[in-house]
Amino acid sequence: MPRFAANLTMMFTELPFLDRFGAAAAAGFDAVEYLFPYDFPAEILAERLQAHGLTQALFNLPPGDWAAGDRGLAALPDRAAEFRASIATALAYAEATGAGRVHVMSGLADRNDAGAVRAYREALARLSDAAGGQGREVMIEPINPRDMPGYFLDDFDFAADLIAALDLPNLKLQFDIYHRQILHGDVLTGLRQMMPLIGHVQVASVPERHEPGTGELDDIRVLRELDALGYGGFVGCEYRPATGTVAGLGWLRAFG
């Protein structure tokens, strides 16, 4: 059975953020993820995790100025110093919360720009080295241009080729089923081919990004395939509940 992590950025939004930890545990989750932890002291988050018996599955490095439109820094040559500083911030939070992996957003850049590609490769090498020293993994995730126009990393094959070329033991693919379906389709084939590279999986239905099983893809079949493929990591529930979060958890019964 997959190990599901509630995404507290998108789920349980009926509650203040710090109250979502307890709500996730009460709903049966034993792990959580979210986009960014940096609005709260790391010690407070660690206390919430411990109080509710939750594992921190994943969070993102600081993305730059999100409100101003930044979507990561790794592929931006002129933001390299800021990216280096973000590594220390993220890994301090990972240490406090026990997160075994962090996701690094590439940023908005042209993937045909040699300078952006070089900056991205260098950023991944630097982050992977620093995270590896703590025994942590680094995730990269292709994101579709409908949700995030101009995002540098928008192709699964490019991501897989880059991971193979860099050959860093703790650099892994974050396989988001929602983004894969929109970008390429052929989700099961992608999972089977890329499983050796995958360190984290996320799920949401297509096209509305609601609960699994409510869209065009047979999400339940896909999630069951993870077991057949021997995937032992977390599946992040990065979806927007169509109504209330708890009311929309009926899909979990398929794995009860």
Side-chain angles (χ1 to χ4, degrees), residues 138-175:
V138 172
M139 304 294 120
I140 60 172
E141 175 192 24
I143 295 177
N144 81 79
R146 188 170 74 201
D147 282 58
M148 201 167 287
Y151 194 69
F152 174 85
L153 186 60
D154 62 354
D155 183 273
F156 274 73
D157 289 333
F158 177 84
D161 290 345
L162 182 61
I163 290 170
L166 290 174
D167 194 25
L168 299 165
N170 62 329
L171 179 62
K172 302 291 184 179
L173 177 66
Q174 186 164 309
F175 193 109

PDB file of all heavy atoms in Angstrom, residues 138-175:
ATOM      1  N   VAL A 138      17.633  15.061  -2.892  1.00  0.00           N
ATOM      2  CA  VAL A 138      17.196  16.263  -3.608  1.00  0.00           C
ATOM      3  C   VAL A 138      16.260  15.833  -4.729  1.00  0.00           C
ATOM      4  O   VAL A 138      16.595  14.941  -5.520  1.00  0.00           O
ATOM      5  CB  VAL A 138      18.398  17.030  -4.179  1.00  0.00           C
ATOM      6  CG1 VAL A 138      17.938  18.169  -5.083  1.00  0.00           C
ATOM      7  CG2 VAL A 138      19.282  17.544  -3.041  1.00  0.00           C
ATOM      8  N   MET A 139      15.109  16.469  -4.817  1.00  0.00           N
ATOM      9  CA  MET A 139      14.116  16.159  -5.848  1.00  0.00           C
ATOM     10  C   MET A 139      14.056  17.271  -6.887  1.00  0.00           C
ATOM     11  O   MET A 139      14.115  18.456  -6.546  1.00  0.00           O
ATOM     12  CB  MET A 139      12.716  16.033  -5.238  1.00  0.00           C
ATOM     13  CG  MET A 139      12.574  15.020  -4.126  1.00  0.00           C
ATOM     14  SD  MET A 139      12.808  13.334  -4.683  1.00  0.00           S
ATOM     15  CE  MET A 139      14.216  12.878  -3.670  1.00  0.00           C
ATOM     16  N   ILE A 140      13.917  16.871  -8.164  1.00  0.00           N
ATOM     17  CA  ILE A 140      13.560  17.813  -9.217  1.00  0.00           C
ATOM     18  C   ILE A 140      12.269  17.327  -9.858  1.00  0.00           C
ATOM     19  O   ILE A 140      12.073  16.134 -10.056  1.00  0.00           O
ATOM     20  CB  ILE A 140      14.680  18.005 -10.260  1.00  0.00           C
ATOM     21  CG1 ILE A 140      15.022  16.691 -10.963  1.00  0.00           C
ATOM     22  CG2 ILE A 140      15.915  18.604  -9.601  1.00  0.00           C
ATOM     23  CD1 ILE A 140      15.982  16.874 -12.140  1.00  0.00           C
ATOM     24  N   GLU A 141      11.385  18.272 -10.186  1.00  0.00           N
ATOM     25  CA  GLU A 141      10.036  17.923 -10.647  1.00  0.00           C
ATOM     26  C   GLU A 141       9.674  18.703 -11.904  1.00  0.00           C
ATOM     27  O   GLU A 141       9.590  19.938 -11.869  1.00  0.00           O
ATOM     28  CB  GLU A 141       9.012  18.246  -9.550  1.00  0.00           C
ATOM     29  CG  GLU A 141       7.571  18.027  -9.973  1.00  0.00           C
ATOM     30  CD  GLU A 141       6.573  18.629  -8.998  1.00  0.00           C
ATOM     31  OE1 GLU A 141       6.942  19.573  -8.265  1.00  0.00           O
ATOM     32  OE2 GLU A 141       5.425  18.176  -8.988  1.00  0.00           O
ATOM     33  N   PRO A 142       9.409  18.030 -13.006  1.00  0.00           N
ATOM     34  CA  PRO A 142       8.862  18.723 -14.172  1.00  0.00           C
ATOM     35  C   PRO A 142       7.449  19.230 -13.882  1.00  0.00           C
ATOM     36  O   PRO A 142       6.619  18.503 -13.316  1.00  0.00           O
ATOM     37  CB  PRO A 142       8.844  17.632 -15.259  1.00  0.00           C
ATOM     38  CG  PRO A 142       9.826  16.602 -14.784  1.00  0.00           C
ATOM     39  CD  PRO A 142       9.719  16.621 -13.285  1.00  0.00           C
ATOM     40  N   ILE A 143       7.193  20.472 -14.246  1.00  0.00           N
ATOM     41  CA  ILE A 143       5.899  21.113 -14.001  1.00  0.00           C
ATOM     42  C   ILE A 143       5.328  21.587 -15.326  1.00  0.00           C
ATOM     43  O   ILE A 143       6.050  22.161 -16.156  1.00  0.00           O
ATOM     44  CB  ILE A 143       6.059  22.281 -13.012  1.00  0.00           C
ATOM     45  CG1 ILE A 143       6.496  21.746 -11.636  1.00  0.00           C
ATOM     46  CG2 ILE A 143       4.761  23.079 -12.884  1.00  0.00           C
ATOM     47  CD1 ILE A 143       6.744  22.827 -10.600  1.00  0.00           C
ATOM     48  N   ASN A 144       4.046  21.373 -15.527  1.00  0.00           N
ATOM     49  CA  ASN A 144       3.433  21.693 -16.822  1.00  0.00           C
ATOM     50  C   ASN A 144       3.265  23.203 -17.005  1.00  0.00           C
ATOM     51  O   ASN A 144       3.045  23.942 -16.041  1.00  0.00           O
ATOM     52  CB  ASN A 144       2.098  20.951 -16.967  1.00  0.00           C
ATOM     53  CG  ASN A 144       0.966  21.654 -16.238  1.00  0.00           C
ATOM     54  OD1 ASN A 144       0.407  22.634 -16.715  1.00  0.00           O
ATOM     55  ND2 ASN A 144       0.613  21.149 -15.050  1.00  0.00           N
ATOM     56  N   PRO A 145       3.357  23.670 -18.264  1.00  0.00           N
ATOM     57  CA  PRO A 145       3.302  25.110 -18.531  1.00  0.00           C
ATOM     58  C   PRO A 145       1.922  25.721 -18.399  1.00  0.00           C
ATOM     59  O   PRO A 145       1.799  26.946 -18.367  1.00  0.00           O
ATOM     60  CB  PRO A 145       3.814  25.209 -19.975  1.00  0.00           C
ATOM     61  CG  PRO A 145       3.507  23.891 -20.584  1.00  0.00           C
ATOM     62  CD  PRO A 145       3.681  22.890 -19.463  1.00  0.00           C
ATOM     63  N   ARG A 146       0.886  24.913 -18.321  1.00  0.00           N
ATOM     64  CA  ARG A 146      -0.452  25.464 -18.092  1.00  0.00           C
ATOM     65  C   ARG A 146      -0.564  26.013 -16.679  1.00  0.00           C
ATOM     66  O   ARG A 146      -1.107  27.093 -16.458  1.00  0.00           O
ATOM     67  CB  ARG A 146      -1.505  24.378 -18.340  1.00  0.00           C
ATOM     68  CG  ARG A 146      -2.939  24.906 -18.313  1.00  0.00           C
ATOM     69  CD  ARG A 146      -3.894  23.844 -18.803  1.00  0.00           C
ATOM     70  NE  ARG A 146      -4.099  22.790 -17.818  1.00  0.00           N
ATOM     71  CZ  ARG A 146      -4.551  21.577 -18.130  1.00  0.00           C
ATOM     72  NH1 ARG A 146      -4.785  21.266 -19.393  1.00  0.00           N
ATOM     73  NH2 ARG A 146      -4.744  20.680 -17.173  1.00  0.00           N
ATOM     74  N   ASP A 147      -0.030  25.274 -15.721  1.00  0.00           N
ATOM     75  CA  ASP A 147      -0.053  25.727 -14.326  1.00  0.00           C
ATOM     76  C   ASP A 147       1.050  26.735 -14.048  1.00  0.00           C
ATOM     77  O   ASP A 147       0.875  27.625 -13.209  1.00  0.00           O
ATOM     78  CB  ASP A 147       0.117  24.528 -13.392  1.00  0.00           C
ATOM     79  CG  ASP A 147      -1.153  23.722 -13.235  1.00  0.00           C
ATOM     80  OD1 ASP A 147      -1.690  23.243 -14.240  1.00  0.00           O
ATOM     81  OD2 ASP A 147      -1.617  23.564 -12.098  1.00  0.00           O
ATOM     82  N   MET A 148       2.189  26.598 -14.712  1.00  0.00           N
ATOM     83  CA  MET A 148       3.331  27.454 -14.424  1.00  0.00           C
ATOM     84  C   MET A 148       4.025  27.832 -15.737  1.00  0.00           C
ATOM     85  O   MET A 148       5.061  27.268 -16.098  1.00  0.00           O
ATOM     86  CB  MET A 148       4.296  26.745 -13.471  1.00  0.00           C
ATOM     87  CG  MET A 148       5.222  27.681 -12.714  1.00  0.00           C
ATOM     88  SD  MET A 148       6.074  26.829 -11.344  1.00  0.00           S
ATOM     89  CE  MET A 148       4.718  26.630 -10.179  1.00  0.00           C
ATOM     90  N   PRO A 149       3.488  28.800 -16.458  1.00  0.00           N
ATOM     91  CA  PRO A 149       4.081  29.191 -17.744  1.00  0.00           C
ATOM     92  C   PRO A 149       5.523  29.660 -17.585  1.00  0.00           C
ATOM     93  O   PRO A 149       5.852  30.391 -16.651  1.00  0.00           O
ATOM     94  CB  PRO A 149       3.184  30.354 -18.203  1.00  0.00           C
ATOM     95  CG  PRO A 149       1.899  30.167 -17.470  1.00  0.00           C
ATOM     96  CD  PRO A 149       2.271  29.570 -16.148  1.00  0.00           C
ATOM     97  N   GLY A 150       6.380  29.203 -18.495  1.00  0.00           N
ATOM     98  CA  GLY A 150       7.765  29.635 -18.493  1.00  0.00           C
ATOM     99  C   GLY A 150       8.675  28.882 -17.560  1.00  0.00           C
ATOM    100  O   GLY A 150       9.870  29.214 -17.454  1.00  0.00           O
ATOM    101  N   TYR A 151       8.158  27.845 -16.890  1.00  0.00           N
ATOM    102  CA  TYR A 151       8.991  27.095 -15.959  1.00  0.00           C
ATOM    103  C   TYR A 151      10.075  26.342 -16.723  1.00  0.00           C
ATOM    104  O   TYR A 151       9.812  25.696 -17.738  1.00  0.00           O
ATOM    105  CB  TYR A 151       8.120  26.117 -15.161  1.00  0.00           C
ATOM    106  CG  TYR A 151       8.795  25.522 -13.951  1.00  0.00           C
ATOM    107  CD1 TYR A 151       9.100  26.305 -12.843  1.00  0.00           C
ATOM    108  CD2 TYR A 151       9.119  24.170 -13.905  1.00  0.00           C
ATOM    109  CE1 TYR A 151       9.705  25.764 -11.726  1.00  0.00           C
ATOM    110  CE2 TYR A 151       9.726  23.614 -12.786  1.00  0.00           C
ATOM    111  CZ  TYR A 151      10.021  24.415 -11.701  1.00  0.00           C
ATOM    112  OH  TYR A 151      10.630  23.876 -10.590  1.00  0.00           O
ATOM    113  N   PHE A 152      11.297  26.424 -16.221  1.00  0.00           N
ATOM    114  CA  PHE A 152      12.448  25.846 -16.920  1.00  0.00           C
ATOM    115  C   PHE A 152      12.321  24.328 -17.075  1.00  0.00           C
ATOM    116  O   PHE A 152      12.532  23.781 -18.167  1.00  0.00           O
ATOM    117  CB  PHE A 152      13.723  26.195 -16.145  1.00  0.00           C
ATOM    118  CG  PHE A 152      14.981  25.556 -16.671  1.00  0.00           C
ATOM    119  CD1 PHE A 152      15.697  26.147 -17.708  1.00  0.00           C
ATOM    120  CD2 PHE A 152      15.471  24.378 -16.123  1.00  0.00           C
ATOM    121  CE1 PHE A 152      16.860  25.573 -18.191  1.00  0.00           C
ATOM    122  CE2 PHE A 152      16.627  23.793 -16.595  1.00  0.00           C
ATOM    123  CZ  PHE A 152      17.318  24.388 -17.633  1.00  0.00           C
ATOM    124  N   LEU A 153      11.998  23.638 -16.002  1.00  0.00           N
ATOM    125  CA  LEU A 153      11.954  22.174 -16.038  1.00  0.00           C
ATOM    126  C   LEU A 153      10.528  21.728 -16.364  1.00  0.00           C
ATOM    127  O   LEU A 153       9.691  21.540 -15.482  1.00  0.00           O
ATOM    128  CB  LEU A 153      12.409  21.579 -14.706  1.00  0.00           C
ATOM    129  CG  LEU A 153      12.549  20.047 -14.686  1.00  0.00           C
ATOM    130  CD1 LEU A 153      13.560  19.564 -15.710  1.00  0.00           C
ATOM    131  CD2 LEU A 153      12.915  19.547 -13.301  1.00  0.00           C
ATOM    132  N   ASP A 154      10.271  21.536 -17.654  1.00  0.00           N
ATOM    133  CA  ASP A 154       8.920  21.206 -18.104  1.00  0.00           C
ATOM    134  C   ASP A 154       8.890  19.947 -18.966  1.00  0.00           C
ATOM    135  O   ASP A 154       8.002  19.774 -19.802  1.00  0.00           O
ATOM    136  CB  ASP A 154       8.307  22.379 -18.883  1.00  0.00           C
ATOM    137  CG  ASP A 154       9.084  22.718 -20.147  1.00  0.00           C
ATOM    138  OD1 ASP A 154      10.168  22.127 -20.377  1.00  0.00           O
ATOM    139  OD2 ASP A 154       8.610  23.572 -20.915  1.00  0.00           O
ATOM    140  N   ASP A 155       9.834  19.032 -18.749  1.00  0.00           N
ATOM    141  CA  ASP A 155       9.929  17.837 -19.578  1.00  0.00           C
ATOM    142  C   ASP A 155      10.527  16.692 -18.756  1.00  0.00           C
ATOM    143  O   ASP A 155      11.612  16.829 -18.190  1.00  0.00           O
ATOM    144  CB  ASP A 155      10.793  18.123 -20.800  1.00  0.00           C
ATOM    145  CG  ASP A 155      10.862  16.945 -21.743  1.00  0.00           C
ATOM    146  OD1 ASP A 155      11.734  16.078 -21.541  1.00  0.00           O
ATOM    147  OD2 ASP A 155      10.061  16.882 -22.690  1.00  0.00           O
ATOM    148  N   PHE A 156       9.808  15.571 -18.708  1.00  0.00           N
ATOM    149  CA  PHE A 156      10.266  14.438 -17.910  1.00  0.00           C
ATOM    150  C   PHE A 156      11.514  13.792 -18.496  1.00  0.00           C
ATOM    151  O   PHE A 156      12.401  13.363 -17.751  1.00  0.00           O
ATOM    152  CB  PHE A 156       9.148  13.399 -17.776  1.00  0.00           C
ATOM    153  CG  PHE A 156       8.202  13.672 -16.643  1.00  0.00           C
ATOM    154  CD1 PHE A 156       7.278  14.706 -16.720  1.00  0.00           C
ATOM    155  CD2 PHE A 156       8.231  12.903 -15.493  1.00  0.00           C
ATOM    156  CE1 PHE A 156       6.402  14.965 -15.680  1.00  0.00           C
ATOM    157  CE2 PHE A 156       7.358  13.153 -14.437  1.00  0.00           C
ATOM    158  CZ  PHE A 156       6.438  14.190 -14.529  1.00  0.00           C
ATOM    159  N   ASP A 157      11.606  13.703 -19.808  1.00  0.00           N
ATOM    160  CA  ASP A 157      12.786  13.080 -20.405  1.00  0.00           C
ATOM    161  C   ASP A 157      14.031  13.924 -20.160  1.00  0.00           C
ATOM    162  O   ASP A 157      15.109  13.386 -19.885  1.00  0.00           O
ATOM    163  CB  ASP A 157      12.572  12.877 -21.910  1.00  0.00           C
ATOM    164  CG  ASP A 157      11.557  11.783 -22.207  1.00  0.00           C
ATOM    165  OD1 ASP A 157      11.408  10.880 -21.369  1.00  0.00           O
ATOM    166  OD2 ASP A 157      10.914  11.847 -23.266  1.00  0.00           O
ATOM    167  N   PHE A 158      13.879  15.237 -20.246  1.00  0.00           N
ATOM    168  CA  PHE A 158      15.013  16.114 -19.948  1.00  0.00           C
ATOM    169  C   PHE A 158      15.459  15.911 -18.501  1.00  0.00           C
ATOM    170  O   PHE A 158      16.664  15.826 -18.209  1.00  0.00           O
ATOM    171  CB  PHE A 158      14.626  17.576 -20.184  1.00  0.00           C
ATOM    172  CG  PHE A 158      15.712  18.558 -19.837  1.00  0.00           C
ATOM    173  CD1 PHE A 158      16.709  18.862 -20.748  1.00  0.00           C
ATOM    174  CD2 PHE A 158      15.747  19.177 -18.593  1.00  0.00           C
ATOM    175  CE1 PHE A 158      17.719  19.766 -20.434  1.00  0.00           C
ATOM    176  CE2 PHE A 158      16.750  20.080 -18.263  1.00  0.00           C
ATOM    177  CZ  PHE A 158      17.739  20.372 -19.190  1.00  0.00           C
ATOM    178  N   ALA A 159      14.497  15.835 -17.589  1.00  0.00           N
ATOM    179  CA  ALA A 159      14.840  15.627 -16.174  1.00  0.00           C
ATOM    180  C   ALA A 159      15.559  14.301 -15.965  1.00  0.00           C
ATOM    181  O   ALA A 159      16.578  14.229 -15.266  1.00  0.00           O
ATOM    182  CB  ALA A 159      13.578  15.689 -15.321  1.00  0.00           C
ATOM    183  N   ALA A 160      15.041  13.239 -16.585  1.00  0.00           N
ATOM    184  CA  ALA A 160      15.662  11.921 -16.423  1.00  0.00           C
ATOM    185  C   ALA A 160      17.063  11.895 -17.013  1.00  0.00           C
ATOM    186  O   ALA A 160      17.994  11.332 -16.418  1.00  0.00           O
ATOM    187  CB  ALA A 160      14.787  10.856 -17.078  1.00  0.00           C
ATOM    188  N   ASP A 161      17.232  12.507 -18.184  1.00  0.00           N
ATOM    189  CA  ASP A 161      18.558  12.540 -18.815  1.00  0.00           C
ATOM    190  C   ASP A 161      19.544  13.333 -17.960  1.00  0.00           C
ATOM    191  O   ASP A 161      20.726  12.964 -17.850  1.00  0.00           O
ATOM    192  CB  ASP A 161      18.467  13.150 -20.213  1.00  0.00           C
ATOM    193  CG  ASP A 161      17.758  12.245 -21.208  1.00  0.00           C
ATOM    194  OD1 ASP A 161      17.580  11.047 -20.916  1.00  0.00           O
ATOM    195  OD2 ASP A 161      17.368  12.756 -22.283  1.00  0.00           O
ATOM    196  N   LEU A 162      19.071  14.416 -17.362  1.00  0.00           N
ATOM    197  CA  LEU A 162      19.942  15.238 -16.528  1.00  0.00           C
ATOM    198  C   LEU A 162      20.371  14.486 -15.273  1.00  0.00           C
ATOM    199  O   LEU A 162      21.551  14.526 -14.884  1.00  0.00           O
ATOM    200  CB  LEU A 162      19.223  16.529 -16.151  1.00  0.00           C
ATOM    201  CG  LEU A 162      20.023  17.526 -15.310  1.00  0.00           C
ATOM    202  CD1 LEU A 162      21.263  17.990 -16.054  1.00  0.00           C
ATOM    203  CD2 LEU A 162      19.147  18.716 -14.929  1.00  0.00           C
ATOM    204  N   ILE A 163      19.439  13.787 -14.643  1.00  0.00           N
ATOM    205  CA  ILE A 163      19.785  13.001 -13.460  1.00  0.00           C
ATOM    206  C   ILE A 163      20.830  11.952 -13.813  1.00  0.00           C
ATOM    207  O   ILE A 163      21.814  11.750 -13.081  1.00  0.00           O
ATOM    208  CB  ILE A 163      18.524  12.346 -12.876  1.00  0.00           C
ATOM    209  CG1 ILE A 163      17.617  13.422 -12.257  1.00  0.00           C
ATOM    210  CG2 ILE A 163      18.889  11.299 -11.819  1.00  0.00           C
ATOM    211  CD1 ILE A 163      16.242  12.922 -11.871  1.00  0.00           C
ATOM    212  N   ALA A 164      20.649  11.290 -14.956  1.00  0.00           N
ATOM    213  CA  ALA A 164      21.616  10.271 -15.377  1.00  0.00           C
ATOM    214  C   ALA A 164      22.972  10.891 -15.679  1.00  0.00           C
ATOM    215  O   ALA A 164      24.018  10.328 -15.328  1.00  0.00           O
ATOM    216  CB  ALA A 164      21.084   9.529 -16.595  1.00  0.00           C
ATOM    217  N   ALA A 165      22.971  12.059 -16.323  1.00  0.00           N
ATOM    218  CA  ALA A 165      24.230  12.697 -16.704  1.00  0.00           C
ATOM    219  C   ALA A 165      25.000  13.201 -15.486  1.00  0.00           C
ATOM    220  O   ALA A 165      26.229  13.055 -15.411  1.00  0.00           O
ATOM    221  CB  ALA A 165      23.961  13.852 -17.666  1.00  0.00           C
ATOM    222  N   LEU A 166      24.303  13.777 -14.520  1.00  0.00           N
ATOM    223  CA  LEU A 166      24.976  14.300 -13.335  1.00  0.00           C
ATOM    224  C   LEU A 166      25.455  13.181 -12.418  1.00  0.00           C
ATOM    225  O   LEU A 166      26.455  13.333 -11.715  1.00  0.00           O
ATOM    226  CB  LEU A 166      24.046  15.246 -12.573  1.00  0.00           C
ATOM    227  CG  LEU A 166      23.749  16.587 -13.263  1.00  0.00           C
ATOM    228  CD1 LEU A 166      22.711  17.375 -12.475  1.00  0.00           C
ATOM    229  CD2 LEU A 166      25.011  17.401 -13.446  1.00  0.00           C
ATOM    230  N   ASP A 167      24.725  12.075 -12.421  1.00  0.00           N
ATOM    231  CA  ASP A 167      25.137  10.869 -11.689  1.00  0.00           C
ATOM    232  C   ASP A 167      25.451  11.176 -10.228  1.00  0.00           C
ATOM    233  O   ASP A 167      26.486  10.770  -9.692  1.00  0.00           O
ATOM    234  CB  ASP A 167      26.353  10.229 -12.382  1.00  0.00           C
ATOM    235  CG  ASP A 167      26.631   8.809 -11.883  1.00  0.00           C
ATOM    236  OD1 ASP A 167      25.683   8.162 -11.409  1.00  0.00           O
ATOM    237  OD2 ASP A 167      27.795   8.370 -11.962  1.00  0.00           O
ATOM    238  N   LEU A 168      24.527  11.897  -9.601  1.00  0.00           N
ATOM    239  CA  LEU A 168      24.656  12.220  -8.183  1.00  0.00           C
ATOM    240  C   LEU A 168      23.762  11.255  -7.403  1.00  0.00           C
ATOM    241  O   LEU A 168      22.571  11.142  -7.696  1.00  0.00           O
ATOM    242  CB  LEU A 168      24.226  13.668  -7.926  1.00  0.00           C
ATOM    243  CG  LEU A 168      25.064  14.718  -8.671  1.00  0.00           C
ATOM    244  CD1 LEU A 168      24.348  16.064  -8.660  1.00  0.00           C
ATOM    245  CD2 LEU A 168      26.441  14.827  -8.056  1.00  0.00           C
ATOM    246  N   PRO A 169      24.298  10.546  -6.426  1.00  0.00           N
ATOM    247  CA  PRO A 169      23.543   9.450  -5.808  1.00  0.00           C
ATOM    248  C   PRO A 169      22.266   9.875  -5.104  1.00  0.00           C
ATOM    249  O   PRO A 169      21.351   9.063  -4.946  1.00  0.00           O
ATOM    250  CB  PRO A 169      24.542   8.837  -4.815  1.00  0.00           C
ATOM    251  CG  PRO A 169      25.555   9.900  -4.574  1.00  0.00           C
ATOM    252  CD  PRO A 169      25.655  10.671  -5.852  1.00  0.00           C
ATOM    253  N   ASN A 170      22.169  11.128  -4.677  1.00  0.00           N
ATOM    254  CA  ASN A 170      20.981  11.569  -3.937  1.00  0.00           C
ATOM    255  C   ASN A 170      20.110  12.529  -4.738  1.00  0.00           C
ATOM    256  O   ASN A 170      19.205  13.153  -4.186  1.00  0.00           O
ATOM    257  CB  ASN A 170      21.371  12.208  -2.605  1.00  0.00           C
ATOM    258  CG  ASN A 170      22.236  13.455  -2.770  1.00  0.00           C
ATOM    259  OD1 ASN A 170      23.003  13.564  -3.723  1.00  0.00           O
ATOM    260  ND2 ASN A 170      22.125  14.380  -1.837  1.00  0.00           N
ATOM    261  N   LEU A 171      20.345  12.657  -6.045  1.00  0.00           N
ATOM    262  CA  LEU A 171      19.501  13.477  -6.913  1.00  0.00           C
ATOM    263  C   LEU A 171      18.452  12.567  -7.551  1.00  0.00           C
ATOM    264  O   LEU A 171      18.791  11.622  -8.266  1.00  0.00           O
ATOM    265  CB  LEU A 171      20.335  14.169  -7.982  1.00  0.00           C
ATOM    266  CG  LEU A 171      19.551  15.045  -8.974  1.00  0.00           C
ATOM    267  CD1 LEU A 171      18.860  16.204  -8.255  1.00  0.00           C
ATOM    268  CD2 LEU A 171      20.479  15.571 -10.074  1.00  0.00           C
ATOM    269  N   LYS A 172      17.175  12.862  -7.298  1.00  0.00           N
ATOM    270  CA  LYS A 172      16.090  11.981  -7.715  1.00  0.00           C
ATOM    271  C   LYS A 172      14.990  12.764  -8.439  1.00  0.00           C
ATOM    272  O   LYS A 172      14.915  13.991  -8.363  1.00  0.00           O
ATOM    273  CB  LYS A 172      15.475  11.284  -6.491  1.00  0.00           C
ATOM    274  CG  LYS A 172      16.451  10.467  -5.666  1.00  0.00           C
ATOM    275  CD  LYS A 172      16.938   9.238  -6.396  1.00  0.00           C
ATOM    276  CE  LYS A 172      17.843   8.382  -5.519  1.00  0.00           C
ATOM    277  NZ  LYS A 172      18.305   7.168  -6.223  1.00  0.00           N
ATOM    278  N   LEU A 173      14.135  12.011  -9.107  1.00  0.00           N
ATOM    279  CA  LEU A 173      13.000  12.571  -9.831  1.00  0.00           C
ATOM    280  C   LEU A 173      11.769  12.599  -8.935  1.00  0.00           C
ATOM    281  O   LEU A 173      11.429  11.601  -8.293  1.00  0.00           O
ATOM    282  CB  LEU A 173      12.713  11.726 -11.074  1.00  0.00           C
ATOM    283  CG  LEU A 173      11.509  12.133 -11.920  1.00  0.00           C
ATOM    284  CD1 LEU A 173      11.730  13.490 -12.566  1.00  0.00           C
ATOM    285  CD2 LEU A 173      11.223  11.073 -12.984  1.00  0.00           C
ATOM    286  N   GLN A 174      11.109  13.730  -8.898  1.00  0.00           N
ATOM    287  CA  GLN A 174       9.806  13.844  -8.254  1.00  0.00           C
ATOM    288  C   GLN A 174       8.758  13.661  -9.353  1.00  0.00           C
ATOM    289  O   GLN A 174       8.595  14.522 -10.215  1.00  0.00           O
ATOM    290  CB  GLN A 174       9.672  15.206  -7.576  1.00  0.00           C
ATOM    291  CG  GLN A 174       8.410  15.370  -6.751  1.00  0.00           C
ATOM    292  CD  GLN A 174       8.523  16.550  -5.812  1.00  0.00           C
ATOM    293  OE1 GLN A 174       9.515  16.676  -5.065  1.00  0.00           O
ATOM    294  NE2 GLN A 174       7.550  17.431  -5.828  1.00  0.00           N
ATOM    295  N   PHE A 175       8.087  12.521  -9.333  1.00  0.00           N
ATOM    296  CA  PHE A 175       7.156  12.150 -10.397  1.00  0.00           C
ATOM    297  C   PHE A 175       5.743  12.538  -9.963  1.00  0.00           C
ATOM    298  O   PHE A 175       5.094  11.842  -9.192  1.00  0.00           O
ATOM    299  CB  PHE A 175       7.246  10.641 -10.668  1.00  0.00           C
ATOM    300  CG  PHE A 175       6.564  10.195 -11.940  1.00  0.00           C
ATOM    301  CD1 PHE A 175       7.311   9.788 -13.034  1.00  0.00           C
ATOM    302  CD2 PHE A 175       5.185  10.168 -12.036  1.00  0.00           C
ATOM    303  CE1 PHE A 175       6.703   9.363 -14.205  1.00  0.00           C
ATOM    304  CE2 PHE A 175       4.556   9.760 -13.204  1.00  0.00           C
ATOM    305  CZ  PHE A 175       5.317   9.346 -14.288  1.00  0.00           C
TER     306      PHE A 175
END
